[in-house]
């Protein structure tokens, strides 16, 4: 979905041609994998951060086009809405102080973006859902003016027969909202970690990423409010799933199961089970796998397999870990990434096909329980039975993540896993802080957001923030 397209509407011929190319490219990818032509080079790391642009009243500011023009930076790209941006960093070898280097690189891009925003009388904020966003902000008037987004909106509504999208989330309070467009998706902003591994290990990392998602999410919640209502600790999860709800298999989901022998199984499932959402015709040769990659790009698994290409042209496999919220600070986000990477490594090479001995159904159930309850979630874990997420992290998974990072050759001189441990012991995630701060502000969302932004500017991890 990152590339601009020409068409907005599609014909039956477009769909037939796309289906033919998708089948051809899926077969080519399988043949390349069987011939051992996918990259076996070492582990690499990449990040995407989605950020809000807000005015001085903490309402969304729809100025991403002006910001992009002022920045002229290929690492900063548009998102679905005019009040969001996406920040990226160049891929890094996963070794040494890779996480610290990534933090420094992202913080530098962030500083440049914020400087540009300030000149436009706006600010940037990293938060999973913006508590001050209003239902009326999520309209097509605020969609970024790119054909790919208009096409996505058109095709989602076509597949729904014109029926509005309905969000129904029962949490601490109950929210029901209907929209005749896909803009509800814009209310969710994430921190996405890309983990590239040797191709023969990629399916193990995919399975491990699914198994580890629940406890990671329990420790990372930062999205408790939407339209002024207190919902889940990670309201992004049900919101995104319901914001792109079309007939057929779920477009936003945990997937249908673990991979058995390779990640190519997931791409074959894509071709077999999912109708084309954006049947665009590319002129590139089939070896570029453009149709296969676009089709995969409009299936938003919470852990999504990706195919890319190394500098030498060899195709590679990587996992995009999509569960994490943006914010509260860069230290918090890198701590979340450290927990993910360490657990993914330990589980991937720990036997049981990377699953840690967890069934897929248990992993999926754990995930939604963690999204709803955060550190109060009771999870199922092999060898521990039913156990609180906080105890599971402190007694088992944080030590396991330390071991996994060491096995990868990744150092932690900045103490990112210490941040996770302190966050869990204090029981103050971003979501918990927001709820406590709102109570301290007598329910004033704007005062809470002012305090949140001040905490974010301090750079201190959220477990150290005062109320």
């Amino acid at each position: 979905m990152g590339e601009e397209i020409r068409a907005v509407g599609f014909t039956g011929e477009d769909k037939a041609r796309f289906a033919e190319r998708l089948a051809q490219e899926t077969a080519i990818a399988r043949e390349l994998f069987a011939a051992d032509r996918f990259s076996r080079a070492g582990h690499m790391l990449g990040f995407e951060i989605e950020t809000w642009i807000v005015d001085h009243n903490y309402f969304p500011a729809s100025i991403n086009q002006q910001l992009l023009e002022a920045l002229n930076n290929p690492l900063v790209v548009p998102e679905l809405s005019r009040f969001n941006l996406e920040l990226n960093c160049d891929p890094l070898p996963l070794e040494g102080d890779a996480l610290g280097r990534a933090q420094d690189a992202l913080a530098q891009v962030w500083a440049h973006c914020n400087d540009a925003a300030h000149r436009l009388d706006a600010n940037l904020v990293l938060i999973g859902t913006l508590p001050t966003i209003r239902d009326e902000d999520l309209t097509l008037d605020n969609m970024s003016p790119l054909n790919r987004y208009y096409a996505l909106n058109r095709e989602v509504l076509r597949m729904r027969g014109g029926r509005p999208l309905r969000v129904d989330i029962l949490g601490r309070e109950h929210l029901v909202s209907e929209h005749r467009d896909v803009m509800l998706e814009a209310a969710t902003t994430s921190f996405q970690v890309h983990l590239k591994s040797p191709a023969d290990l990629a399916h193990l990392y995919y399975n491990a990423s699914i198994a580890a998602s629940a406890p990671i999410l329990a420790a990372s919640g930062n999205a408790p409010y939407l339209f002024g209502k207190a919902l889940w600790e990670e309201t992004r999860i049900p919101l995104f799933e319901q914001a792109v709800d079309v007939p057929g298999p779920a477009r936003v989901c945990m997937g249908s199961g673990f991979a058995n022998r390779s990640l190519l199984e997931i791409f074959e499932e894509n071709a077999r089970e999912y109708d084309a959402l954006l049947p665009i015709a590319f002129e590139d040769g089939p070896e570029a796998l453009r149709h296969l990659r676009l089709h995969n790009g409009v299936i938003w698994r919470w852990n999504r397999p990706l195919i890319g290409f190394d500098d030498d042209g060899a195709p590679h496999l990587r996992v995009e870990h999509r569960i994490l919220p943006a914010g509260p600070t860069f230290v918090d986000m890198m701590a979340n990434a450290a927990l993910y990477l360490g657990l993914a490594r330990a589980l991937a090479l720990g036997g049981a096909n990377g699953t840690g001995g967890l069934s897929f159904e248990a992993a999926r159930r754990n995930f939604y329980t963690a999204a709803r309850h955060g550190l109060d979630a009771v999870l199922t874990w092999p060898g521990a039975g039913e156990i609180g997420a906080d105890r599971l992290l402190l007694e088992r998974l944080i030590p396991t993540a330390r071991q996994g990072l060491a096995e990868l050759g990744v150092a932690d001189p900045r103490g990112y896993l210490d941040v996770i441990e302190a966050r869990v012991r204090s029981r103050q995630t971003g979501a918990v802080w927001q709820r406590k701060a709102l109570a301290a502000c007598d329910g004033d969302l704007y005062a809470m957001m002012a305090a949140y932004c001040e905490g974010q500017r301090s750079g201190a991890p959220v477990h150290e923030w005062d109320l």
Side-chain angles (χ1 to χ4, degrees), residues 200-219:
D200 59 322
L201 302 179
H203 71 293
L204 302 178
Y205 280 105
Y206 174 74
N207 292 347
S209 299
I210 293 171
S213 286
I216 295 169
L217 192 63

Side-chain angles (χ1 to χ4, degrees), residues 76-105:
V76 185
V77 297
E79 270 290 333
L80 173 64
S81 81
R82 294 175 184 260
F83 45 75
N84 294 132
L85 287 175
E86 178 185 293
L87 282 58
N88 297 267
C89 75
D90 292 320
L92 294 164
L94 190 52
E95 60 189 22
D97 188 21
L99 289 168
R101 293 196 302 275
Q103 179 183 332
D104 293 343

Side-chain angles (χ1 to χ4, degrees), residues 363-416:
R364 179 161 54 187
R365 186 170 59 250
N366 281 349
F367 179 69
Y368 294 105
T369 301
R372 185 163 189 166
H373 300 293
L375 288 173
D376 290 332
V378 176
L379 307 178
T380 299
W381 199 259
E386 292 191 348
I387 183 172
D390 53 352
R391 277 190 55 210
L392 178 61
L393 285 156
L394 292 172
E395 295 175 8
R396 289 173 174 253
L397 299 188
I398 295 173
T400 298
R402 293 186 192 279
Q403 175 188 346
L405 285 184
E407 291 173 357
L408 278 169
V410 174
D412 188 14
R414 306 193 193 193
Y416 292 125

